[in-house]
């Protein structure tokens, strides 16, 4: 496969150590370790952060397409008044799955792909702190993603009459919105779609938290000598802050989903109004998670842009410490503004005022960052490469989304905007204009490092132009649609509302955007297949990842670098001699590589079985309760085997093989 | 020590001097604060603000039993601290005996909880479907019980493993300490639940 | 294999562990006593429930701190660990307090005729459904 970023290290010539052998060693359990394998076996058992990152990227791009198709179906339905292209029920399923897919299965894992690929490379480490845990996070994410999306298969089976839930309800795909407001998700009002949603998200949460714990430990403990915290690339800082947001924001949603599960599966009353349950509690718990979640989506994007702008302005990032600090403030304040999603629920005067003010306050560090990025451009020798064009697009488009955000922060104004298309416009500007543009910029910037091939031709510029135009044509009119009263999540609208022309414009824009994404995928594939060799440092980069070959060898750094400044490679190339990157004397044993393993995959497979059978149990499929327990058993078994096989490992000798 | 580097692979020097596993456990515990915080808040919101419970907890709670449970968990925490100390000193025997103490007290706590749940269901008719109180009470204390049970599983596994020829006090002390951190955390969650869920009813 | 003869285990280390042993014991006794006091406090015939509530919170706080700093070694360990854990604690307590506050003002005026003793009148039935 051409995306194979690393080749299994060549067998070492001398064998100073018992495990130094190109033949796979046996684990403590006596089983053969899947080291030195190739093909699909290698991909399934890999613990290499670069391959795991590549797989995150592949899966998330696939789900980006799935979510995109859902979006196009939504827009096609709304193109004309009183349209009935899809039924109202299907429409609900489409927007629910679109939101869930884009947030949890496209943007988050694409950010995760960057975390995986870049964190060890930018901090000069061999791998993440816990390589097998990292593989577990990847496969658990895949398990959760498949659980949620399998609901489409069961829905199709239902349409053919092959599968009917015991209660006869046919909403098998989740349909209660990406925020799943109670009591709509109660068992009185929705069928097993909600169960697919609950169990899928629960599994995804485990994956995200496990990955984040891993990244925090890696960033804190695995930095190369001399790479002090205040010398870290901003992307690493934003990864660190995002990871903290994830470990603190996911527990509330885990609890909320758990409570909902108890309501639906075991007859509890958390959100049952007739038994004293308070649906408003769901909203609070969801947004305690939900607002930090939107920063989880944007902070990595800000990190990526902060890496790209200095490279193509050929000057250091303006106000490094301010950018880092405001990132941390955004992360912290992100936990104190959740109720701005609930202004119209009647929070009481004090709470409304407080959340209003805090929301306005959070725009300050956001603005600080924007000024810093502009400051970085100011006076620079700007090179309009494709990543740079995307980054500039990011600044502008993200700012537009920020403006409408600030408009939301005034509670009385928000009372007019809440649940209207104005909000839809806001979050698509920050999510597409913000997260997606920056992630695309990141792909254009780092793909040459990842696969060793360089982009060629002008297609990249066409992609950026099409995406930005499509985005604006789609979402700019939505501000007005919202202002003249079009509600969100509406299946269709009447002839005389006056919403028809702008909706048609939006739909046309959505298809332009889709063309842009299609061109992007084309550019990506042709570059991976036929791009010219990229070389180590195609962009005149500033950070450590550009000091090693593209694609990076499995062990990353033949010698651990010693860093003397921020932007170490820039200082190395253009700075004083004292700032050159040094290197640690290599260990005579060679570089220790962790062994590959089947067991992370096994443990994740258990979660897949558990999630799917719990959802099907709710449909009345026999024995599913037992299968769910068996799934849990598989996970426990996987963890035990993983613990008992021992860490293993072998050594590679890059300097010998190179010379 | 020719095989030192195939264990935890201390390739990279550690800038903070903190062990990776220990650091990760603390991060997880910080995250778990949010987890139990949310559960306890749910309970308090329904119990103390909406108050529509249907049953009066004072009539069904057996505060002496719960106090005994708290004491039991506290003792298990003490044994855990001693077990960690023992393994750091390298005395495996003392480590084992202390760990057995943790496991006995932990199991006693769980037994107490099973008895309590059983009593509430059969004698007081309090089920998970009894208003919001039944739901929040069982789900919250049950989740804590599951944490205890997982901790027991973990510690029993280490007890068994300590008889394996691969077990090495020096090398595994950090793993035991990490498991111990988890165990103590379960104890402090109970300290909070004991006050915020049980004692508060009597004020 | 026993490592008691490990040369790296010097006397100082063993003495420190010995001291820890006494610390742990004393702490356990103290916390047992505090748990006993908690039990007694709630049966005191005091009208001042705020006072009792306050002392309960105070007592559990002491126990909490005892466990995290001594049993969990925070006092002997890197400051970063304390910082991380306390950050989680502060975030959790802050969120919890804010939620309780918001819900407190969210409660519908229960003096309305719609309510009978805090229970929605027409729906108050026996528990369960
Ligand atoms: C200047 C910074 C921002 C401010 C002041 C802000 C403010 C707000 C407010 C008040 C709402 C609630 C609107 C309503 O429902 O009536 C909202 C919704 C939303 N915001 Fe932002 N926002 C900001 C940045 C962001 C960013 C960076 C993202 C994500 C990348 C984001 C994503 C969202 C999403 C997804 C929603 C809608 C959630 C839903 O109802 O489904 N926002 N924003
Ligand atoms: Cu928000």
């Amino acid at each position: 496969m051409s995306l194979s970023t690393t080749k299994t290290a060549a067998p070492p010539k001398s064998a100073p150590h018992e495990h130094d052998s190109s033949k796979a060693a046996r684990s403590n359990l006596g089983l053969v370790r899947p080291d030195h394998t190739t093909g699909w076996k290698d991909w399934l058992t890999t613990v290499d952060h670069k391959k795991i990152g590549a797989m995150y990227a592949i899966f998330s791009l696939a789900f980006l397409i799935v979510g995109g198709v859902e979006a196009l179906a939504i827009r096609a339905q709304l193109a004309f008044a009183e349209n009935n292209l899809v039924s109202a029920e299907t429409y609900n399923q489409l927007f629910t799955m679109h939101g869930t897919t884009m947030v949890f299965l496209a943007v988050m894992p694409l950010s995760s792909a960057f975390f995986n690929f870049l964190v060890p490379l930018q901090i000069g480490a061999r791998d993440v702190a816990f390589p097998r845990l990292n593989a577990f996070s990847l496969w658990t994410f895949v398990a959760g993603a498949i659980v949620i999306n399998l609901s489409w298969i069961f829905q199709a089976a239902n349409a053919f009459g092959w599968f009917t839930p015991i209660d006869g309800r046919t909403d098998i795909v989740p349909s209660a919105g990406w925020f799943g407001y109670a009591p709509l998700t109660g068992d009185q009002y929705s069928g097993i779609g909600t169960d697919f949603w609950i169990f899928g998200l629960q599994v995804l949460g485990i994956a995200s938290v496990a990955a984040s714990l891993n990244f925090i430990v890696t960033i804190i403990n695995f930095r190369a000598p001399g790479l002090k915290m205040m010398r870290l690339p901003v992307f690493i800082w934003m990864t660190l802050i995002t990871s903290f947001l994830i470990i603190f924001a996911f527990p509330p949603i885990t609890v909320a989903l758990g409570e909902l599960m108890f309501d639906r599966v075991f007859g509890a009353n958390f959100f049952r109004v007739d038994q004293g349950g308070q649906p408003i509690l769901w909203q609070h718990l969801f947004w305690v998670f939900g607002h930090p979640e939107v920063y989880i989506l944007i902070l990595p994007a800000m990190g990526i842009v902060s890496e790209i702008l200095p490279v193509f302005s050929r000057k250091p990032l303006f106000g490094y410490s301010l950018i880092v600090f405001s990132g941390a403030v955004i992360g912290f304040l992100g936990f104190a503004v959740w109720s701005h999603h609930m202004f119209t629920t009647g929070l009481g005067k004090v709470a409304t005022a407080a959340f209003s003010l805090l929301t306005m306050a959070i725009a300050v560090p956001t603005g600080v960052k924007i000024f810093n990025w502009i400051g970085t451009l100011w006076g620079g020798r700007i090179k309009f490469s494709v990543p740079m064009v995307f980054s500039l697009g990011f600044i502008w488009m993200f700012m537009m989304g920020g403006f409408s955000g600030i408009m939301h922060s005034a509670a009385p104004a928000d009372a007019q905007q809440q649940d209207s298309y104005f909000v839809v416009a806001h979050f698509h500007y920050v999510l597409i204009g913000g997260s997606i543009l920056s992630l695309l910029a990141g792909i254009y910037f780092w793909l040459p490092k990842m696969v060793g091939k360089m982009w060629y031709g002008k297609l990249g510029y066409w992609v950026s132009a099409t995406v930005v135009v499509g985005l604006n044509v789609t979402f700019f009119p939505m501000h007005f649609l919202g202002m003249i009263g079009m509600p969100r999540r509406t299946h269709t609208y009447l002839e005389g509302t006056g919403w028809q022309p702008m909706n048609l414009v939006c739909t046309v824009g959505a298809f332009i955007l889709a063309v842009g994404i299609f061109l992007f995928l084309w550019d990506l594939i042709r570059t991976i297949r036929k791009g010219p060799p990229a070389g180590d440092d195609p962009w005149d980069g500033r950070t450590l990842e550009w000091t090693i070959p593209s694609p990076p060898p499995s062990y990353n750094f033949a010698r651990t670098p010693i860093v003397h400044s921020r932007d170490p490679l820039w200082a190395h190339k253009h700075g004083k001699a004292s700032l050159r990157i040094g290197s640690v004397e290599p260990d005579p044993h060679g570089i220790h590589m962790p062994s590959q393993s089947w067991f992370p995959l096994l443990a994740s497979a258990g979660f897949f079985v558990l999630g799917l059978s719990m959802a099907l149990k709710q449909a009345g499929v026999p024995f599913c309760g037992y299968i769910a327990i068996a799934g849990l058993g598989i996970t426990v078994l996987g963890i035990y085997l993983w613990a008992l096989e021992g860490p293993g490992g072998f050594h590679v000798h890059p300097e010998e093989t190179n010379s | 020590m020719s095989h030192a580097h195939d264990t935890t692979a201390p390739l990279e020097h550690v800038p903070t001097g903190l062990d990776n596993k220990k650091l990760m456990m603390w991060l997880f515990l910080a995250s778990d604060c949010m987890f139990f915080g949310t559960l306890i808040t749910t309970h308090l919101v329904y119990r103390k603000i909406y108050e529509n419970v249907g049953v009066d907890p004072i009539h069904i709670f057996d505060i002496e039993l719960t106090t005994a449970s708290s004491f039991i968990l506290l003792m298990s925490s003490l044994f855990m601290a001693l077990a960690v100390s023992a393994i750091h000193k390298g005395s495996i025997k003392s480590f084992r005996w202390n760990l057995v103490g943790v496991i006995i007290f932990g199991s006693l706590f769980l037994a107490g909880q099973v008895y309590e749940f059983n009593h509430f269901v059969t004698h007081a008719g309090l089920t998970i479907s009894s208003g919001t109180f039944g739901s929040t009470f069982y789900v919250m204390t049950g989740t804590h019980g599951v944490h205890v049970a997982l901790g027991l599983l973990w510690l029993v596994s280490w007890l068994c493993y300590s008889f394996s020829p691969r077990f090495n006090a020096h090398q595994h002390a950090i793993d035991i300490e990490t498991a111990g951190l988890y165990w103590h955390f379960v104890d402090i969650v109970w300290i909070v639940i004991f006050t915020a869920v049980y004692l508060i009813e009597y004020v | 294999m026993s490592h008691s003869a490990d040369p790296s285990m010097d006397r100082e280390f063993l003495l420190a562990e010995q001291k820890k042993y006494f610390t742990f014991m004393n702490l356990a006794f103290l916390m047992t006593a505090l748990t006993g006091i908690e039990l007694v406090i709630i049966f005191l015939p005091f009208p001042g429930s705020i006072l009792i509530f306050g002392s309960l919170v105070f007592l559990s706080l002491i126990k909490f701190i005892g466990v995290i700093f001594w049993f969990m070694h925070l006092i002997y360990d890197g400051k970063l660990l304390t910082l991380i854990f306390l950050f989680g604690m502060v975030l959790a307590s802050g969120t919890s307090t804010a939620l309780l506050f918001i819900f407190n003002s969210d409660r519908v005026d229960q003096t309305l005729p719609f309510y009978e003793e805090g229970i929605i009148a027409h729906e108050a039935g026996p528990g369960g459904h």
Side-chain angles (χ1 to χ4, degrees):
Chain A
M1 187 171 183
S2 57
L3 259 175
S4 172
T5 57
T6 49
K7 295 168 199 78
T8 307
K13 297 203 173 96
S14 64
H17 186 268
E18 40 173 333
H19 293 315
D20 278 340
S21 148
S22 57
K23 282 227 315 278
R26 285 180 181 276
S27 67
N28 291 355
L29 295 165
L31 304 170
V32 178
R33 295 184 188 272
D35 294 337
H36 315 291
T37 47
T38 49
W40 59 271
K41 235 179 170 176
D42 180 38
W43 286 94
L44 289 182
T45 60
T46 189
V47 291
D48 180 343
H49 70 99
K50 299 177 285 301
K51 288 182 184 166
I52 291 174
M55 285 191 277
Y56 264 114
I58 295 170
F59 283 115
S60 55
L61 287 176
F63 283 114
L64 185 74
I65 297 173
V66 173
V69 169
E70 285 155 0
L72 291 181
I74 293 173
R75 281 320 315 170
Q77 159 65 20
L78 290 177
F80 303 102
E82 294 170 47
N83 196 358
N84 209 10
L85 183 70
V86 296
S87 69
E89 196 179 84
T90 308
Y91 182 85
N92 289 352
Q93 298 176 331
L94 284 172
F95 75 69
T96 301
M97 286 302 280
H98 166 70
T100 307
T101 304
M102 287 307 196
V103 169
F104 296 103
L105 311 183
V107 175
M108 273 183 82
L110 200 51
S111 304
S112 217
F114 283 103
F115 298 167
N116 269 286
F117 185 74
L118 286 176
V119 167
L121 296 186
Q122 287 199 330
I123 65 175
R126 233 274 316 119
D127 204 318
V128 294
F130 302 97
R132 283 181 294 178
L133 184 66
N134 205 22
F136 169 79
S137 305
L138 167 74
W139 295 116
T140 305
F141 151 68
V142 175
I146 296 179
V147 168
I148 297 189
N149 274 286
L150 272 182
S151 60
W152 285 114
I153 306 290
F154 284 95
Q155 186 80 58
N158 179 262
F160 289 119
W162 299 335
F163 171 77
T164 316
I166 197 161
D167 56 12
R169 284 189 294 196
T170 57
D171 54 331
I172 295 165
V173 174
S175 58
W178 84 283
F179 33 70
Y181 273 2
L184 213 52
T185 46
D187 52 6
Q188 310 97 305
Y189 306 111
S190 61
I192 63 162
T194 302
D195 298 298
F196 273 105
W197 185 77
I198 293 174
F199 293 108
L201 285 194
Q202 213 64 303
V203 173
L204 289 172
I206 294 169
S208 302
V209 172
S212 302
L213 293 172
N214 208 344
F215 286 121
I216 300 176
V217 176
T218 308
I219 294 173
I220 292 182
N221 266 357
F222 281 64
R223 283 167 286 135
L227 193 55
K228 301 185 184 130
M229 289 308 271
M230 287 315 275
R231 287 180 182 167
L232 285 178
V234 173
F235 178 75
I236 301 296
W237 264 109
M238 294 305 129
T239 306
L240 184 66
I241 296 169
T242 306
S243 302
F244 270 106
L245 288 180
I246 288 178
I247 65 168
F248 291 127
F250 269 76
I253 191 71
T254 305
V255 169
L257 288 167
E259 292 175 347
L260 185 59
M261 176 200 74
F262 271 100
D263 273 14
R264 294 180 61 94
V265 181
F266 302 106
N269 296 320
F270 287 100
F271 306 112
R272 265 183 230 276
V273 182
D274 54 352
Q275 296 294 320
Q278 298 288 335
I280 193 77
L281 179 69
W282 171 272
Q283 292 199 24
H284 277 294
L285 297 188
F286 184 85
W287 290 116
V288 167
F289 151 78
H291 189 82
E293 170 69 19
V294 309
Y295 288 114
I296 292 167
L297 301 171
I298 199 68
L299 285 176
M302 292 175 163
I304 290 172
V305 167
S306 306
E307 292 299 304
I308 295 176
L309 290 175
V311 169
F312 298 107
S313 309
R314 273 167 273 172
K315 65 193 267 273
L317 191 67
F318 180 82
Y320 170 94
S321 16
L322 214 54
I323 289 217
V324 169
F325 180 70
S326 47
V329 170
I330 290 178
F332 183 73
L333 278 185
F335 281 96
V337 297
W338 77 84
S339 285
H340 66 210
H341 295 272
M342 304 166 60
F343 281 145
T344 53
T345 59
L347 297 163
K349 290 190 203 83
V350 181
T352 304
F355 281 106
S356 202
L357 282 171
L358 281 163
T359 306
M360 291 172 191
I362 212 169
V364 175
T366 315
V368 166
K369 287 196 159 210
I370 291 178
F371 281 115
N372 278 311
W373 291 324
I374 295 173
T376 306
L377 297 171
W378 194 263
R381 279 176 292 140
I382 293 177
K383 184 162 176 268
F384 288 98
S385 64
V386 178
M388 185 63 167
V389 171
F390 272 108
S391 304
L392 295 175
F394 163 89
I395 298 181
W396 185 16
M397 292 299 117
F398 176 71
M399 231 157 65
M400 306 257 303
F403 290 150
S404 48
I406 298 172
M407 293 168 78
H408 290 318
S409 65
D414 186 61
Q416 299 299 313
Q417 297 155 2
Q418 154 92 134
D419 255 340
S420 78
Y421 259 82
F422 194 87
V423 176
V424 179
H426 159 67
F427 66 73
H428 283 92
Y429 267 94
V430 283
L431 281 171
I432 303 184
S435 306
I436 298 278
L437 279 188
S438 144
L439 289 167
L440 290 177
I443 293 177
Y444 272 96
F445 190 57
W446 279 295
L447 189 85
K449 176 57 56 185
M450 222 169 175
V451 300
K453 303 285 180 63
M454 195 58 190
W455 305 93
Y456 60 98
K458 298 253 173 276
L459 193 52
Y461 293 102
W462 284 103
V463 174
S464 55
T466 325
V467 169
V468 171
V469 169
L471 150 71
N472 280 287
V473 175
T474 315
F475 297 107
F476 199 72
M478 288 188 188
H479 292 112
F480 301 107
L481 278 173
M483 289 287 96
I484 60 176
M486 180 164 168
R488 278 172 86 172
R489 302 181 218 101
T490 185
H491 168 234
T492 190
Y493 49 92
L494 294 177
E495 204 74 73
T497 49
W499 303 340
Q500 153 82 74
M502 275 192 275
N503 265 301
L504 187 56
V505 174
C506 294
T507 302
V508 171
F511 280 88
I512 298 177
L513 189 53
V515 169
I517 297 294
F518 174 78
L519 287 180
F520 161 71
L521 292 173
W522 187 21
D523 200 11
L524 182 73
I525 290 168
R526 70 171 197 156
T527 301
I528 291 174
R529 292 185 53 199
K530 311 199 284 261
D536 296 0
D537 184 15
W539 307 113
D540 195 8
R542 316 175 69 88
T543 35
L544 288 177
E545 75 272 29
W546 305 108
T547 61
I548 55 175
S550 318
S554 58
Y555 49 81
N556 292 355
F557 294 86
R559 291 171 173 221
T560 302
I562 300 177
V563 176
H564 299 289
S565 71
R566 220 173 265 165
D567 288 340
L569 181 56
W570 185 260
H572 184 79
K573 290 186 288 199
H574 308 288
K576 286 186 299 210
S578 63
L579 297 183
R580 299 256 162 87
I581 301 173
S583 69
V584 178
E585 227 10 73
D587 186 331
H589 289 299
I591 298 177
H592 181 277
M593 303 290 293
S595 280
Q596 306 201 171
S597 173
W598 285 104
F599 302 128
L601 181 65
L602 183 67
S604 308
F607 281 128
F608 171 75
V609 175
L610 175 69
L612 184 61
S613 47
M614 281 304 281
L616 291 181
K617 173 183 180 295
Q618 292 295 94
V621 179
F623 304 118
C624 272
Y626 297 106
I627 300 176
I629 294 173
L632 207 57
I634 295 175
T635 300
V636 173
L637 179 74
I639 292 173
Y640 267 99
L641 293 177
W642 170 351
L644 291 175
E645 72 171 343
F650 53 91
H651 289 83
V652 293
H653 302 265
E655 311 217 316
E656 263 168 55
T657 13
N658 286 352
S659 56
Chain B
M1 290 286 272
S2 68
H3 58 273
H5 45 258
D6 59 8
T7 53
T8 40
L11 298 160
E12 277 79 17
H13 73 122
V14 176
T16 54
L18 293 170
D19 180 83
N20 296 332
K21 288 178 188 165
K22 200 200 273 184
L23 178 58
M24 175 141 109
M25 181 46 81
W26 275 109
L27 287 163
F28 171 75
L29 297 182
S31 160
D32 230 20
C33 286
M34 283 299 279
F35 184 83
F36 278 106
T38 313
L39 278 168
I40 294 172
T41 308
T42 303
H43 175 81
L44 288 179
V45 163
Y46 281 144
R47 173 69 193 107
K48 288 292 157 192
I49 292 176
Y50 293 101
E51 296 178 53
N52 39 1
V53 286
V55 267
D56 190 350
I58 296 197
H59 292 319
I60 59 171
F61 279 175
D62 181 349
I63 195 68
E64 285 84 1
L65 175 78
T66 314
T67 311
S69 280
S70 302
F71 170 73
I72 287 170
L73 210 52
L74 196 72
M75 284 302 114
S76 79
S77 236
L78 171 65
F79 276 110
M80 190 71 238
L82 296 179
V84 170
S85 178
I87 198 77
H88 274 301
K89 279 188 290 197
S91 69
I92 294 189
K93 225 170 137 194
S94 147
F95 159 71
R96 282 197 197 119
W97 281 114
N98 280 307
L99 200 58
V100 167
V102 182
I103 291 166
I104 290 177
F105 277 106
S107 314
L108 272 177
F109 176 85
L110 268 194
Q113 192 166 41
V114 170
Y115 169 81
E116 183 193 39
F117 279 18
N118 186 44
H119 186 81
F120 285 180
V121 173
T122 50
H123 292 267
L126 182 78
T127 70
I128 195 169
S129 311
S130 311
T132 52
F133 182 75
S135 303
T136 59
F137 176 80
Y138 282 120
V139 170
M140 173 186 43
T141 53
T143 310
H144 177 263
V146 169
H147 271 69
V148 176
L150 284 179
L152 278 177
L153 188 66
W154 194 357
L155 294 178
V156 169
S157 307
W158 273 115
L159 185 63
C160 297
Y161 195 69
S162 76
F163 290 96
S164 144
R166 290 186 203 280
F167 187 77
N168 173 326
H170 191 61
Q171 171 193 333
H172 289 120
I174 194 69
D175 299 293
I176 308 288
E177 192 177 334
T178 308
L181 288 178
Y182 174 85
W183 188 263
H184 293 305
F185 180 77
V186 171
D187 184 26
I188 55 176
V189 170
W190 187 257
I191 290 177
V192 176
I193 289 184
F194 181 54
T195 304
V197 176
Y198 288 90
L199 294 177
I200 203 170
E201 296 295 343
Y202 297 83
V203 173
Chain C
M1 49 179 166
S2 165
H3 270 250
S4 44
D6 195 316
S8 68
M9 302 276 168
D10 51 18
R11 264 182 61 77
E12 236 169 88
F13 173 78
L14 287 178
L15 271 178
E17 288 294 319
Q18 190 69 15
K19 250 175 82 184
K20 265 191 209 167
Y21 176 81
F22 289 109
T23 316
F24 290 158
M25 278 305 192
N26 290 338
L27 186 62
F29 282 129
L30 174 73
M31 297 208 300
T32 309
L34 293 185
T35 309
I37 295 176
E38 284 179 329
L39 181 62
V40 175
I41 276 187
I42 56 170
F43 291 117
L44 287 183
F46 265 10
S49 66
I50 293 284
L51 196 70
I52 294 183
F53 178 75
S55 28
L56 283 180
V57 171
F58 181 68
L59 288 175
S60 60
L61 204 64
I62 294 184
K63 291 202 283 182
F64 190 96
I65 289 174
V67 176
I68 62 168
F69 278 103
W70 281 276
F71 281 174
M72 295 169 90
H73 290 195
L74 274 185
I75 199 144
Y76 312 111
D77 243 329
K79 295 273 171 297
L80 183 65
L81 300 180
T82 313
L83 205 69
I84 287 172
F85 185 69
L86 287 189
F87 188 78
M89 265 322 286
V90 167
L91 209 56
S93 350
T95 310
S96 182
T97 314
L99 278 172
L100 287 169
F101 172 81
I102 295 172
F103 272 99
N104 214 18
S105 51
D106 175 70
R107 184 165 68 170
V108 182
D109 185 357
Q110 300 206 343
T111 55
L112 291 174
F114 186 61
Y115 282 89
E116 262 170 31
E117 292 171 352
I119 298 174
I120 302 175
H122 61 279
E123 283 172 348
H129 58 85

